[in-house]
């Protein structure tokens, strides 16, 4: 079940999905086996997980979607560049990428223990071979099966070295969809042969590396099961995953509350169907009490065998026994690995051009998905402060700000709505569950051409999407300062702006870019 | 000295002003007497204050600018409507306003103890008789001396009842300025007679109510001292405050790091000058070590008398002895008084009109100071969610978003940049230290007329500034749904939108508005 990482009920940001403390106490004492957490800081989460363990009166699975470091969700812990950054680095420096992926896993593991989590819901084992994927995207470790698998396996080893459970997801592969299963049920029309070639290898590698759990995807794969999504399919879970791939660990569903499942089945029936199909754990049923009642009824009616559920419970116990203890003081929870954060940013930063952006009176046009919800832009964020120090005034454009587009394909940017002078473009674009990637529909290529033609482009930084960077890079004049960082966090902003001469200590970057061709 | 409320150095938002933990340990062990805190949540602050007390090895003044409830700054604690809301209520229901002000102080005190603070830097005793005041504004308890003083005194009693220290500020009165002393040094040209009539009465009332401390303002008052700002003036501190007003408690400077002081004197000299003038405590010198060295030198040189400093230390000891213990568990720090929060919102809400905003396809135009820094608009905030549920699309306009103005005084709003249909206006405007009130320069009156003439105004809500509400209210058609809430927090949004028929449970407000004439 899902809980807020905050301690008090009134602090919950999503009360529709996050149970009250009274509900949590009741359900934990009734034996619910795990909690998924979101919200609150690293320090608060350390207190919260201690509280939940006390309410459970024993070992409890405590997990979170901290694929990009615990600091991605819980302020104060390490916030790392997204996994796809290492997939990209792997093309240039495979050994370094693999070593960094294992340290990445180790960092997630240490931070997870510090906040009291024992289960990291990663690695994503999906192969992001569809750049329009709105929900996987930079969360994947690569866009090629072998690279994604090798890096995911290294991440698993890193986590295991810290005694923290891992989870390969979203089985059998969510990379090649352009739908968000939080909202709809995607269909993958691929043949079994194609699945063997593209989707399955990373899962095989993660299993070989000893991954603790596999999470099912809410996806229809007619080649495997024409009726049921993977999450509810015994052909996929019992057949492919258990028998063919030989996976012995925990099988957990993706959140059953997602529209792709909750919209098609009741909260109770979805849980029963998932267990029938071979899942050990059901994650976030739309209503925990209804799910429990439905499972109990299914056992009484013989629909579910008690031995199967006992085998699942045994797998959970075995997984928990393998976990390291989490006994750190809450005061020590917010201990980010700044060295690794920085090394990952530096290793995956790309830049080109030589001129420094022209100085004063210009506009710092910052594109984000939602102006009011941009945690990577706190007060004093480098993307705002550094251009400001160089004389640029900031304007934030997003889905929730006034429109900046003219509708004219040749000159799409409404330049008359901005002050005169050069424009520094900073584009924060990546896929986001629930929100997709609004940026993909915006004509940034044409806008860039328009600014270049008007001699008003001061510089470009893309944060997040390599696909947008690949699209825009060829359009840039040779000397124009431009940079790409897979990460969007403040450290990445400081590094990218430093690389184009807008650093706190302006100057050329320390290391020269190399083989990837991005110095053209 | 100032510290972040976060536990780890890397979490500091303002590293220029917030000391590192190593510096804090050093200076606390060297005997620095107090810390002012900003940043972090209520839960984190409870851990942080415990840590600081341990480093100090004894009693320590722990304070924060939590004038509007601890939750104003530290998420999770109570977040109350600004004091001026009760000044406004006092015109209609004086007894109720006074009772609420005392409960307001009690709430601040309880919450302060829960997070480990023993000193609330309030009440503001300035009389906000200058609507253009960029820094006091709704932080004042009234725009008339008697009302402001009575409410401030009630607040002091509420705090004292919880065993928490209070602080009347900014002596001798910061209400009638249009400059922000964080940035410049305001000059008040008033005669002594005028000061007796307007500025001083609230301080006299707070002192009579037993206020623990008085904070000096960075203001030049030629009638009292033509050379030195109040903070550094012995005529103001030793003469007026101690001798004439008979104040026996702690005299503390406002932050010496502010430009009005730091820009005119060195970090060390400013501290010495303040003590020479009669201050007991210097707050946030620009450099704590320099300040300590300068004070030590001044004692050695006989510029400062040791007996004077010992008397100040004794006042600090006496104040700390009167404080209640703070021994609550961090788990209990985030316990907001939702009942009082709600009652204050309900009691101070104003509304008019009868029609419900027209429904679908419209625009929810939300005006804030900074789109990226609007803590009152978290994910799911009612100001976004409720109009969205009624078919409105949100656009946020702020100093950091693309311009929405045409420059045409008769039709200032660039309506062509927005989708067709009705416009719901929600204006979040109040004075803010460092940021002023950008809204006062925006032609919202003319914009409102333009929308009314185009028959496109769906409704209006003003959050914060009563002055903007007073300006816009007469321009509204009789039936047009409109509301004003002094508070800007989510609870206030839900109440104001509920009052104009956009609530989760739409319908007429429960209580009818009364004597203040706002139903015209």
């Amino acid at each position: 079940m899902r809980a807020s990482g905050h301690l008090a009920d009134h602090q919950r940001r999503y009360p529709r999905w996050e149970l009250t403390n009274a509900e949590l106490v009741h359900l934990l004492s009734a034996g619910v086996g795990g909690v998924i957490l979101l919200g609150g800081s690293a320090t608060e989460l350390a207190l919260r997980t201690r509280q939940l363990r006390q309410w459970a009166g024993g070992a409890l699975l405590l997990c979170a979607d901290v694929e990009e470091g615990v600091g991605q969700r819980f302020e104060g812990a390490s916030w790392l560049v997204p996994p796809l950054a290492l997939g990209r680095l792997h093309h240039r420096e495979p050994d370094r990428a693999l070593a960094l992926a294992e340290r990445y896993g180790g960092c997630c593991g240490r931070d997870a223990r510090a906040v009291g989590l024992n289960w990291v819901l990663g690695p994503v084992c999906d192969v992001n071979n569809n750049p329009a994927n709105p929900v996987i995207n930079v969360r994947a470790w690569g866009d090629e099966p072998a690279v994604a698998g090798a890096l995911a396996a290294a991440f698993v080893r890193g986590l295991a070295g810290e005694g923290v459970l891992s989870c390969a997801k979203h089985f059998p592969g969510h990379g090649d969809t352009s739908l968000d299963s939080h909202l709809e049920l995607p269909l993958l029309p691929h043949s079994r042969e194609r699945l063997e070639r593209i989707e399955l290898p990373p899962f095989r590698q993660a299993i070989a590396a000893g991954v603790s759990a596999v999470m099912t995807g809410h996806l229809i794969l007619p080649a495997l099961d024409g009726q049921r999504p993977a999450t509810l399919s015994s052909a996929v879970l019992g057949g492919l995953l258990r028998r063919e791939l030989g996976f012995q660990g925990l099988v957990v569903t993706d959140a059953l509350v997602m529209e792709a499942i909750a919209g098609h089945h009741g909260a109770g029936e979805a849980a029963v169907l998932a267990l029938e199909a071979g899942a050990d754990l059901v994650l976030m049923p739309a209503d925990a009490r209804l799910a429990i009642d439905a499972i109990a009824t299914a056992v009484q009616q013989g629909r579910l065998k008690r031995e199967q559920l006992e085998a699942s419970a045994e797998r959970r116990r075995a997984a928990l026994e393998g976990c390291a203890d989490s006994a750190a003081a809450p005061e020590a929870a917010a201990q980010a690995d700044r060295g690794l954060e920085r090394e990952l940013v530096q290793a995956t930063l790309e830049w080109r051009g030589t001129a420094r952006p022209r100085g004063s009176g210009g506009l710092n046009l910052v594109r984000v998905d939602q102006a009011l919800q941009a945690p990577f832009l706190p007060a004093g964020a480098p993307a705002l402060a550094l251009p400001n120090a160089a004389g640029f005034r900031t304007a934030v454009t997003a889905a929730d700000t006034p429109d900046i587009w003219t509708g004219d394909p040749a000159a799409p940017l409404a330049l008359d709505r901005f002050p005169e002078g050069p424009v520094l473009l900073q584009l924060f674009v990546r896929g986001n569950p629930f929100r997709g990637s609004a940026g993909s529909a915006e004509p940034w290529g044409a806008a860039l051409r328009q600014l270049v033609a008007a001699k008003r482009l001061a510089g470009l930084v893309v944060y997040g999407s390599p696909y947008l960077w690949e699209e825009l890079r060829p359009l840039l004049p040779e000397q124009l300062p431009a940079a790409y960082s897979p990460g969007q966090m403040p450290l990445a902003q400081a590094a990218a702006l430093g690389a184009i001469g807008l650093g706190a200590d302006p100057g050329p970057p320390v290391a020269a870019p190399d083989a990837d061709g991005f110095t053209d």
Side-chain angles (χ1 to χ4, degrees), chain A:
Chain A
M1 55 193 176
R2 173 159 159 190
S4 151
H6 293 102
L7 287 155
D9 284 343
H10 73 89
Q11 294 179 288
R12 291 175 299 157
R13 283 278 178 271
Y14 304 97
R16 206 179 122 199
W17 293 326
E18 292 162 353
L19 298 180
T20 62
N21 285 337
E23 279 286 295
L24 289 167
V25 166
H26 173 80
L27 290 166
L28 286 172
S29 66
V32 167
V35 180
I36 179 170
L37 290 133
L38 185 70
S41 66
T43 303
E44 292 173 310
L45 186 62
L47 290 164
R48 179 63 155 171
T49 53
R50 190 167 76 180
Q51 180 186 63
L52 291 169
R53 280 193 303 271
Q54 283 165 358
W55 289 344
L60 184 65
L61 287 169
L62 290 162
C63 65
D65 275 322
V66 287
E67 303 157 5
E68 300 172 21
V70 174
Q72 178 195 11
R73 308 271 181 203
F74 304 98
E75 189 275 326
S78 312
W79 188 357
L80 309 177
V81 300
L84 197 61
L86 289 184
R88 207 168 160 86
L89 180 67
H90 191 277
H91 293 180
R92 303 197 296 272
E93 302 180 65
D95 291 346
R96 189 177 181 201
L98 286 166
L100 281 170
E102 188 161 341
R103 289 172 59 199
Y104 193 122
C107 172
C108 288
R110 275 189 305 281
D111 283 7
R113 281 200 284 123
V115 297
L117 299 173
N118 49 25
W119 189 16
V120 166
L121 297 183
V124 166
C125 283
D126 307 315
V127 179
N128 197 70
N129 57 352
N130 184 339
N133 192 314
V135 57
I136 302 302
N137 212 280
V138 296
R139 298 165 64 196
W141 288 90
D143 48 17
E144 294 165 19
V147 172
L151 292 168
F155 175 87
V156 167
R157 287 192 300 270
L159 267 182
E162 295 292 334
V164 170
L165 304 175
S166 52
C167 181
K169 64 195 189 185
H170 308 78
F171 191 78
H174 203 311
D176 193 15
T177 70
S178 55
L179 294 183
D180 182 349
S181 57
H182 294 83
L183 308 169
E184 297 164 278
L185 186 56
L187 184 143
L188 271 76
H190 306 310
S191 68
R192 176 63 202 250
E193 179 277 324
R194 141 78 192 227
L195 292 175
E196 282 295 343
R197 192 160 41 82
I198 305 287
E199 273 77 12
L200 295 180
F203 289 97
R204 289 189 191 274
Q205 288 203 58
I207 291 169
V211 74
S212 321
V214 171
M215 182 184 286
T216 66
H218 299 335
L219 308 153
I220 292 269
L221 295 106
L224 299 172
D225 186 330
Q227 305 297 311
R228 295 265 171 84
T231 296
L232 309 181
S233 164
S234 63
V236 176
L237 305 190
L240 179 61
L241 179 57
R242 286 271 188 237
R243 279 191 290 278
E244 293 191 44
L245 273 62
F247 180 61
Q248 302 292 323
L250 281 168
V251 176
V252 59
T253 67
D254 204 346
L256 293 183
V257 72
M258 286 190 206
E259 200 51 33
I261 299 295
H264 290 70
H265 309 277
E269 183 63 11
V272 172
L273 288 172
L275 295 177
E276 272 191 321
D280 296 306
L281 296 164
V282 294
L283 183 68
M284 251 186 101
D287 183 315
R289 288 177 187 244
L290 284 183
I292 292 168
D293 289 348
I295 293 167
T297 303
V299 172
Q300 283 158 13
Q301 296 176 340
R303 249 182 102 186
L304 283 174
K305 292 217 177 68
R306 185 177 288 271
E307 303 79 61
Q308 179 198 333
L309 299 190
E310 277 168 3
S312 293
E314 181 48 38
R315 282 194 197 97
R316 174 182 169 279
R317 268 193 299 273
L320 279 168
E321 272 168 18
C323 288
D325 262 0
S326 162
E331 281 85 350
Q335 297 299 337
D337 184 344
R338 301 291 274 180
L340 181 62
E341 286 179 332
R342 210 176 299 268
E343 186 172 346
L344 285 167
V345 162
Q346 292 291 346
T348 63
L349 181 69
E350 304 176 20
W351 69 93
R352 43 154 292 154
T354 53
R356 196 182 164 200
R358 277 173 291 162
S360 59
L363 184 75
N364 173 26
L365 186 57
V366 179
R367 187 269 174 208
V368 298
D369 283 331
Q370 301 273 331
L372 293 172
Q373 310 298 332
F376 45 84
L377 291 175
L384 311 172
L386 293 176
N388 185 56
F392 287 88
R393 180 190 141 191
T394 292
V396 178
T397 175
D400 55 357
T401 64
D403 202 1
I404 57 163
W405 304 106
T406 61
D408 173 1
L413 210 51
L415 285 174
D416 57 322
R417 294 175 204 174
F418 299 112
E420 302 272 306
V423 176
L424 171 68
L425 268 187
Q426 296 191 80
L427 309 179
F428 291 82
V429 174
R430 55 171 280 173
N432 294 292
F434 292 104
R435 296 200 309 219
S437 179
S440 55
E442 295 164 353
W444 285 109
L448 207 68
R449 278 195 211 92
Q450 178 187 5
L451 286 168
V452 169
K455 299 196 188 307
R456 286 184 62 182
L457 186 62
L460 168 72
V461 188
V462 175
Y463 301 96
S465 168
Y467 310 110
L468 182 63
W469 170 244
E470 298 291 358
E471 177 194 341
L472 300 183
R473 205 179 53 184
L475 310 177
L476 295 169
E478 195 173 335
Q479 296 300 310
L480 195 105
Y484 162 64
S485 168
Q488 303 191 321
M489 66 288 282
L491 262 188
Q493 298 160 28
L497 290 170
I500 65 166
L502 276 177
D505 176 21
V510 282
D514 65 7
D516 196 39
F518 51 83
T519 51
D520 59 349

